[in-house]
Every structure is written in structure tokens, then in C-alpha cells.
Amino acid sequence: MSDNILEEIFIKRSQQKKKTSPLNYKERWFVLTQDKIAYYDFDSDKGKRKGLRGSVDLEKIRCVESVQPEPNSPPERMYAFQVIYDEGPLYIFAKTEDARAQWIKKLKEMVRFNKDLIQKYHPCFWADGLWLCCKQEVKQAMGCKVLDNKNGFTSKPSRRWGSRKPLPPTPTEPLILCMTVMAEYDYTPMTPQDLELRKDEEYTILEMSDQNWWKARDKYGKEGYIPCNYVVEAANGLERFHLRKCLCVVSQNKDGGFLVRDSSKAGKYTVSLFSKGGGETSGSCRHYNICTTTQGQFYLAEKHNFGTIPELINYHQHNAAGMVSRLKYIVSNRARPPSTAGLGYGVWEIDPRYLTFIKELGTGQFGVVKYGKWQGQHDVAIKMIKEGSMSEDDFIEEAKIMMKLRHENLVQLYGVCTKQRPIYIVTEFLSNGCLLTYLREGLTQHPTAVQLLEMCKDVSEGMAYLESQQYIHRDLAARNCLVDGNGSIKVTDFGLSRYVLDDEYTSSAGSKFPVRWSPPEVLLYCKFSSKSDIWAYGVLLWEVYTLGRLPYERLNNTEIVDQVSRGLRLFRPQLANEKVYSIMTSCWLEKADERPTFQELAMTVQDVLYELQ
Ligand code: ADP
Ligand code: MG
């Protein structure tokens, strides 16, 4: 008996690993087996299958859905479907509606218990650097349409799948969004196009074409742009439990304080609960994963199943049922609003008359950096670019892209002043300054293991975001991280080294080149990649755990190039245990592709952090 569950010849769209390679469409022989979808070359005359061209493991699949045809799609590409897995969508075109429906149904059935199913997807294609549905320009951007059946298998397949007659192709209609969100912070408009937000009020989202600024309507019918990181989706009913990524329930120090947060596994949630235990003063934080039964019900402690997470939480607010305590207080751990991507929607050129200079922070590669205010109230850092130190036109072009990068562990670029000389770069201000100085002077003599690891986690998350945007930092080091008022770390100066005009800095033989943070492939062939950033991250961990010592302090640059390419590595710092050191050494593997990704590192660091708490 054949192990093949389904077999069919479909057209496959190339997956464009490189930005420059053109799209192509090829007929492939698709085979679905118990554990993968594989596709093969075939001989159309003899009707025989030939070499394997690729495959997707079913366990990696996160969503299977149809895709609306492109506006001028040829007839053979009307019935598309997408198999979304960790490398993005695989687009497949069936010859008929029925064939498509059959595959989608079967696949959904087979992946319905997968770990990382997603609940939002893109109903249209990713083409020419854009999602045709929501116009977002980032391939990894979260889907803009909620799945009707919350992914996975529904016992009642939609009628369309069962229909015999092929339906006329659906025109690509503009996506109608009616997502309701709730404001987590107040937001005062910075431009006339912005809309004011009031904490805890609901807003309707009208447009999401910008990845940072969404068009919204308030309950009075007023419309305008809002920073999308100030709101949470009100659809899943979780927002009132302060869904957070953060770990610091402990800092609240209230017995029974809890929050519901994203788990380290995508799409799952964890309840973090602080408990003082048997009258001790310190207390501890416990983490309970919210599990799902095969029937799709949620539970924290066995035998108490609920249809929704809010119901589950409600139950445990009254019953400890196996946990150290019942859930007593919802903890909100972020009082201060996050940074916005720019100072208002569409603003990136800043009028220097709105800037006030307050004090000098230091001097860097590009000259003096000052602390100041924008419009008299918003804290900013202003880099005044010394003439001749930067290729300004190239940077100004790049700044438009940099502005769109937004993550709580990246120093936000707010805008630039380019109409005068020197030009200014205006960024978020972090009151505790540079991480290297903070490690050397600002920390206590005996920082806790949690403190040090939290720093590493912050950096790994900022870098995982850059990696997801295929953005290479090129100069990651403790000196290029800053510390905010709460001790959180943010990465800064990403990509900036490309615009430095100084051979001592840009040439790998130059005295200012970050040799101590560079892997062999950079030192020998100037090959930069996210994997060279990974190496630098390992060195940054080492800086953290030595409280800011100079890596390879006894060696000069020439000796480092020589010895590192022959296998020398940094020693284990006293403060780093074996687990932490093994994270460092994994970043320093000789072969770049054997090093972990930031995504993986962030998860590993988080796991070690859980063990500590
Ligand atoms: P450059 O990138 O031009 O080399 P740096 O980023 O090293 O300059 O900035 C010089 C100093 O200014 C840093 O060491 C830091 O102390 C301070 N600084 C820079 N940016 C900020 C900021 N956004 N918030 C607070 N301090 C900052
Ligand atoms: Mg710098």
C-alpha cells in the first residue's frame, strides 16, 4: 500500500530566497505523506516522477489557507493556496477549486494539533516587497485577517469546499478591517493627522498600511493616525489581563500578583504568578503554561477546563487549584508609554526650532551627542553629525528605512534635521547611558544572575527583531547598547557603520575597526551577516559577565586576527555558569551557519531565566 495520502501536479511559485531573484512558476508533482509535503520534478511524457525538489515537514506548518488570485492572474493560477511554515508561505496553484479544497481540507486536518498555529494570515499574495492585502512592506508582518475557524480543523468544512461547481474567481477586493482595539496608554497627538488615545478606551482600526501608524476611529467618530504599539487587539478578551512579554512580576512584590503573557512558544500563553510563599519576605515567581486539551479547551491545572482563557483566569482568580496561590492582582508592569516610530505619523524631517538642547551626553564617532527636548516636553537624544564624518546623503536615504524599525529593545530613531549643517539625528533618549559604562560603574558590585541575564535577553530580543527584518547591525557591542531608567537595555547605532567616513573605522585593518567583536569570516573576507552579529552578541555576553572588561585584553588587533582565526576563544567569565558560557561559545562557532539565530538565542536565554526564578 502506498504511503501517499494525496498526489497531484500543481504549479509552485518560487520562494525567492534572495530579494533579487525573479519569481517563477513551475509545475511540480506534489505528494502528501503522513509527515511531509514533498514536490518533485517529473517527466510529463512518461507521466513519471523524477528528482525531489523540496519538502515541508507537516509539523512545521503554521497555517493552510487559500489565497486570492492576483488582479490579472492567468487562468492556470486561479486556485491558489498557501502553506505557511517557518520559512514563510509556500504558494501552490491547483487546477480546480475542488482539488484546492481537497488539499486544504486534508492538510488542515493533519496539522490541527501543531504547536505554532497562527490565527491571522494574509489573504493575498506577497509580491514585489508588499502584502497585496494590507500593503505592509515587511514579509514577516503579522497577518491582517483573522482565520474564520481559528486555524486547525473544523468539523464542519465550509460549504465552498464541498461545492462541485468551481466558483468564479474572487476579485481582489480591498480588505475591510473592523478590528477593535483598546488603548493601553494615553497618546497626545504630535501632528494634526494623529488621533488622541485615552487609556482603556476602544478604537476601530480603519487602515493598517503603515506598519507603525494605523488609521483609527474613536467612539465619537473622529479619525486619525495612532501608534499601533499603544493599543492591543480587543478580540481575544485577554487584554485586560495585561498580556505581556515581560517577566518582572516579581518587582511588584505583591502576593498573588499575576499577568498573562506570551509564552516562549509562539501562539501560546503563560500565566506568571508571584507568591510570597510561607511568610518569607522575598517570594518567588512561578510560571504556568496555559495548556489546551485535544478538544481545544484551556486549562492550567488538570481537570478544570474552560472554553476561553478569560473564563479560565476568572476561575483561578477564585481557586488556586494546584497553583501556589490563587490569582489575586492583575499586575501592570509598564506604566511608561513606549516610544513611537517617529514624532507623529509620516514625520521624519524634524524642524530644529522645536529642539531645545539641555546637556552634553558624550562624544562619539560622529561628534557630540546632546540630551534635549522636542516641543519642550519629549526627551530626545540629538547626534550632531560632525561635517566630513558621515556620508550624509546615503544615510538620509537609509534613515527612512531605519525609522520603520521599531522594537522595545532598539533605540528608536525619531527623525533627522537635514536642512542645515551639521545635520542632526534625533533618537529616543535613555537616561542611564551607555551599557559599557553602566557595567563598569553603574551596576552594583554584586549584580544578581537575573539582572545580568535580563540584559542579555533584552539585547537578544532587539537583535531577533533586526534579524527578522534582515537588517544587519555590523557593530554590536556593549558600547552600542544603552540603558533606560528601569535598567532595560536597547540596542543602538544599527547599520550606522556603513556611513562612517573614516578608514581607521571601516577597514578591517584600521585601528578603530571592531576586531574584538568580529568573527573570522569578517576579519578574513569582510563577510557581514546576521551570523556575524551573532558572534558579536557572544562577545557582548562576555562583556556583560565580566562587567565590562575589554575582550582579549592582552592581545593587539593583529594578534587577535591571527589567534581567533586559529581557534582561540574568550575564557569563561567567573560570573557566567556553564549554561551561560555554552550560549557564548555557540555564538563563536567557526562555521557561521552552525551558529544559532537570534530567535533561538532569545528563547534559550529566556529558558535559562525561567530556571533562575
Ligand atoms: P557615535 O555613535 O557617534 O559614536 P555614541 O552613540 O557612542 O556616538 O554616543 C556618545 C555617547 O553619548 C554615548 O557613549 C552615550 O553615553 C551617549 N548617548 C548616545 N546616544 C544616547 C541616547 N540615545 N541616550 C542617552 N545617551 C546617549
Ligand atoms: Mg555608538
Side-chain angles (χ1 to χ4, degrees):
M1 205 183 83
S2 159
D3 291 336
N4 300 346
I5 296 164
L6 290 173
E7 260 183 272
E8 189 117 22
I9 289 167
F10 290 140
I11 294 173
K12 173 185 166 292
R13 191 176 103 166
S14 60
Q15 280 174 288
Q16 272 192 312
K17 295 272 155 56
K18 292 206 179 70
K19 276 202 174 132
T20 46
S21 52
L23 274 186
N24 63 47
Y25 299 87
K26 290 219 172 77
E27 283 205 312
R28 296 282 179 226
W29 185 310
F30 278 80
V31 177
L32 173 65
T33 58
Q34 204 57 47
D35 49 22
K36 53 169 74 102
I37 307 178
Y39 44 94
Y40 299 82
D41 257 343
F42 65 99
D43 185 330
S44 51
D45 298 335
K46 297 196 186 117
K48 265 179 64 180
R49 208 166 90 185
K50 297 201 312 195
L52 176 70
R53 299 310 301 249
S55 67
V56 178
D57 290 338
L58 294 194
E59 63 174 26
K60 290 199 178 146
I61 294 179
R62 308 185 61 198
C63 176
V64 183
E65 269 301 323
S66 56
V67 191
Q68 296 200 15
E70 285 185 78
N72 297 312
S73 168
E76 70 274 16
R77 299 211 304 261
M78 279 303 177
Y79 305 109
F81 64 104
Q82 52 186 321
V83 174
I84 304 175
Y85 64 114
D86 49 3
E87 289 184 27
L90 167 68
Y91 291 121
I92 305 171
F93 302 85
K95 293 206 169 69
T96 64
E97 170 73 22
D98 280 359
R100 168 167 78 170
Q102 185 193 19
W103 277 69
I104 295 181
K105 178 165 181 265
K106 190 77 215 170
L107 279 165
K108 277 183 181 264
E109 199 180 298
M110 294 177 77
V111 305
R112 69 189 188 277
F113 296 129
N114 277 10
K115 283 200 308 288
D116 297 331
L117 294 177
I118 51 176
Q119 281 166 19
K120 282 171 134 192
Y121 75 111
H122 293 282
C124 301
F125 286 100
W126 167 258
D128 302 324
L130 189 77
W131 286 105
L132 296 176
C133 30
C134 53
K135 308 288 185 271
Q136 296 190 81
E137 291 171 17
V138 180
K139 196 166 184 189
Q140 286 77 10
M142 200 211 286
C144 55
K145 187 167 185 222
V146 180
L147 286 168
D148 299 336
N149 58 0
K150 294 269 182 239
N151 220 328
F153 176 70
T154 45
S155 51
K156 276 189 290 175
S158 95
R159 276 207 294 124
R160 238 176 89 179
W161 293 341
S163 78
R164 289 263 113 213
K165 205 170 73 203
L167 291 174
T170 342
T172 24
E173 56 208 36
L175 196 74
I176 301 161
L177 285 166
C178 32
M179 185 165 85
T180 306
V181 296
M182 195 166 85
E184 285 196 291
Y185 308 95
D186 288 336
Y187 172 71
T188 314
M190 297 199 256
T191 74
Q193 298 185 72
D194 295 353
L195 178 71
E196 178 175 1
L197 290 178
R198 285 171 190 276
K199 189 171 181 306
D200 295 334
E201 285 192 6
E202 289 198 343
Y203 297 82
T204 309
I205 300 301
L206 307 170
E207 198 189 295
M208 296 164 96
S209 46
D210 189 288
Q211 75 198 70
N212 296 310
W213 296 89
W214 292 348
K215 194 165 183 185
R217 184 191 299 133
D218 66 17
K219 62 183 179 194
Y220 310 105
K222 195 156 180 258
E223 295 181 5
Y225 288 89
I226 58 163
C228 66
N229 52 330
Y230 277 48
V231 296
V232 284
E233 201 177 335
N236 59 11
L238 287 179
E239 67 287 349
R240 62 201 161 94
F241 301 118
H242 297 276
L243 191 62
R244 289 279 185 261
K245 281 204 314 205
C246 215
L247 281 170
C248 18
V249 198
V250 183
S251 62
Q252 304 280 325
N253 219 21
K254 246 178 162 179
D255 185 61
F258 77 98
L259 51 80
V260 184
R261 58 179 176 75
D262 291 336
S263 151
S264 54
K265 297 208 171 60
K268 304 265 181 206
Y269 298 105
T270 300
V271 173
S272 294
L273 171 63
F274 177 74
S275 152
K276 287 213 164 151
E280 312 147 34
T281 42
S282 57
S284 65
C285 195
R286 297 289 188 87
H287 307 281
Y288 300 93
N289 289 327
I290 299 185
C291 312
T292 16
T293 64
T294 44
Q295 287 84 33
Q297 291 218 305
F298 300 101
Y299 65 92
L300 270 175
E302 213 85 46
K303 293 200 199 84
H304 304 287
N305 299 343
F306 299 91
T308 65
I309 297 179
E311 285 172 72
L312 165 90
I313 299 297
N314 184 27
Y315 173 80
H316 287 286
Q317 285 180 300
H318 303 283
N319 304 282
M323 296 188 294
V324 286
S325 123
R326 69 180 176 88
L327 307 176
K328 296 181 193 162
Y329 309 95
I330 300 170
V331 172
S332 168
N333 52 19
R334 235 198 284 155
R336 280 201 301 156
S339 323
T340 52
L343 301 168
Y345 170 67
V347 178
W348 71 283
E349 177 76 48
I350 292 173
D351 185 336
R353 287 174 303 181
Y354 292 145
L355 295 171
T356 346
F357 296 87
I358 297 174
K359 78 168 194 218
E360 197 166 309
L361 294 169
T363 306
Q365 182 63 34
F366 298 113
V368 178
V369 184
K370 288 189 176 172
Y371 159 64
K373 295 268 188 194
W374 178 73
Q375 290 200 334
Q377 48 173 331
H378 299 274
D379 285 334
V380 290
I382 307 151
K383 269 191 186 174
M384 309 171 77
I385 306 300
K386 192 170 63 188
E387 277 172 84
S389 70
M390 174 185 267
S391 40
E392 295 181 355
D393 293 344
D394 294 341
F395 168 75
I396 291 166
E397 258 323 291
E398 174 73 9
K400 294 177 196 163
I401 297 170
M402 286 183 178
M403 287 272 300
K404 293 196 188 262
L405 299 170
R406 180 177 54 76
H407 188 275
E408 60 187 299
N409 299 110
L410 293 185
V411 175
Q412 183 64 50
L413 174 62
Y414 286 146
V416 287
C417 306
T418 63
K419 307 274 184 253
Q420 89 279 316
R421 291 295 176 272
I423 66 165
Y424 301 157
I425 301 178
V426 182
T427 67
E428 176 182 0
F429 166 73
L430 282 88
S431 59
N432 272 317
C434 159
L435 172 62
L436 186 59
T437 318
Y438 185 74
L439 288 167
R440 290 178 179 173
E441 300 162 10
L443 265 178
T444 54
Q445 285 281 294
H446 304 286
T448 66
V450 172
Q451 254 178 323
L452 295 177
L453 209 51
E454 287 265 9
M455 294 184 178
C456 306
K457 176 170 170 279
D458 288 348
V459 176
S460 70
E461 300 211 333
M463 291 304 299
Y465 170 79
L466 279 189
E467 174 186 75
S468 76
Q469 305 296 303
Q470 283 140 32
Y471 204 97
I472 309 172
H473 190 302
R474 293 164 191 262
D475 196 6
L476 179 63
R479 66 182 170 279
N480 279 331
C481 295
L482 296 168
V483 188
D484 78 3
N486 300 325
S488 296
I489 313 295
K490 302 191 186 207
V491 177
T492 185
D493 290 344
F494 27 94
L496 222 55
S497 64
R498 289 169 296 165
Y499 308 101
V500 174
L501 294 177
D502 180 351
D503 289 344
E504 289 301 328
Y505 182 94
T506 51
S507 145
S508 66
S511 60
K512 296 186 200 156
F513 189 86
V515 169
R516 292 168 204 272
W517 287 263
S518 300
E521 75 272 11
V522 166
L523 298 174
L524 303 173
Y525 326 107
C526 290
K527 189 175 181 318
F528 290 95
S529 65
S530 290
K531 296 294 185 189
S532 56
D533 282 351
I534 291 277
W535 178 290
Y537 177 78
V539 180
L540 188 153
L541 289 189
W542 188 92
E543 293 182 274
V544 169
Y545 279 89
T546 55
L547 305 182
R549 275 172 67 176
L550 179 70
Y552 318 96
E553 57 199 338
R554 288 177 214 282
L555 304 182
N556 66 29
N557 282 359
T558 325
E559 289 163 339
I560 293 170
V561 176
D562 183 50
Q563 305 232 27
V564 166
S565 47
R566 285 201 274 141
L568 175 81
R569 296 296 182 264
L570 291 161
F571 61 82
R572 177 171 72 82
Q574 268 183 2
L575 292 175
N577 62 22
E578 283 301 337
K579 250 187 196 144
V580 170
Y581 189 54
S582 74
I583 301 177
M584 293 181 202
T585 52
S586 72
C587 300
W588 303 328
L589 290 171
E590 171 86 29
K591 293 203 178 101
D593 55 7
E594 289 176 0
R595 294 173 208 150
T597 62
F598 280 109
Q599 180 79 48
E600 289 163 346
L601 280 176
M603 283 204 220
T604 314
V605 173
Q606 178 145 48
D607 286 343
V608 181
L609 203 45
Y610 282 157
E611 287 167 20
L612 286 176
Q613 293 193 350

